[in-house]
Structures are given as structure tokens and as C-alpha cells.
């Protein structure tokens, strides 16, 4: 399932995570589905965190290049 997340942008993942959070707060909440949705949200959050770390690393590399010039 993680490979499905890889092709999405951080913004798309954040939107999907927001939808999952909204589901927990909505009238559609069902305990039977909660664990599955929670795991999905947890996976999304980890994927977003990883993407943001990669973006930060890319920014640091670019910044170093500018500092060297």
C-alpha cells in the first residue's frame, strides 16, 4: 500500500489525511471501520513525514550549493 502513496504529492496526502480525520468526527463513524481507517491515517502520516524529510534534505543541498557560490 505504501507504493500507492509514493506517487501522490504531499498536498494530496494531506487532503486525504484530512478526509480521514473528518470521518472520525462525522456521523459516518463506525467502530468496525475505525481500526482500518486509523491504520490508513497512520500510514499516510508516516508517508507525509518521510516526504517532508526528503524535501528538507533537498532544500539543504540546494542551500549548500548557493553558499558555495
Amino acid at each position: 500500500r505504501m507504493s500507492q502513496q509514493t506517487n501522490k504529492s504531499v498536498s494530496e496526502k494531506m487532503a486525504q489525511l484530512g478526509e480521514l480525520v473528518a470521518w472520525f468526527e462525522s456521523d459516518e463513524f463506525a467502530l468496525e471501520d475505525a481500526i482500518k481507517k486509523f491504520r490508513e491515517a497512520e500510514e499516510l502520516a508516516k508517508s507525509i513525514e518521510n516526504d517532508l524529510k526528503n524535501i528538507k534534505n533537498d532544500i539543504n543541498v540546494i542551500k549548500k550549493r548557493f553558499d558555495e557560490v
Side-chain angles (χ1 to χ4, degrees):
R1 194 187 309 194
M2 189 62 88
S3 61
Q4 292 174 350
Q5 303 304 337
T6 308
N7 296 331
K8 293 182 181 179
S9 71
V10 173
S11 297
E12 290 171 321
K13 291 176 192 176
M14 292 289 290
Q16 188 177 354
L17 185 59
E19 289 171 12
L20 286 167
V21 170
W23 177 86
F24 277 95
E25 298 171 345
S26 75
D27 293 335
E28 294 177 23
F29 176 85
L31 196 54
E32 302 80 27
D33 298 327
I35 292 174
K36 179 181 174 237
K37 298 253 187 202
F38 180 81
R39 287 189 179 138
E40 190 177 339
E42 187 176 42
E43 182 180 301
L44 268 170
K46 286 179 185 177
S47 180
I48 291 166
E49 182 179 24
N50 189 47
D51 288 348
L52 292 177
K53 283 180 186 176
N54 289 337
I55 291 168
K56 182 180 178 185
N57 288 339
D58 290 347
I59 289 170
N60 286 335
V61 167
I62 293 168
K63 187 176 181 292
K64 277 186 180 178
R65 287 184 187 157
F66 275 105
D67 290 344
E68 291 173 358
V69 173

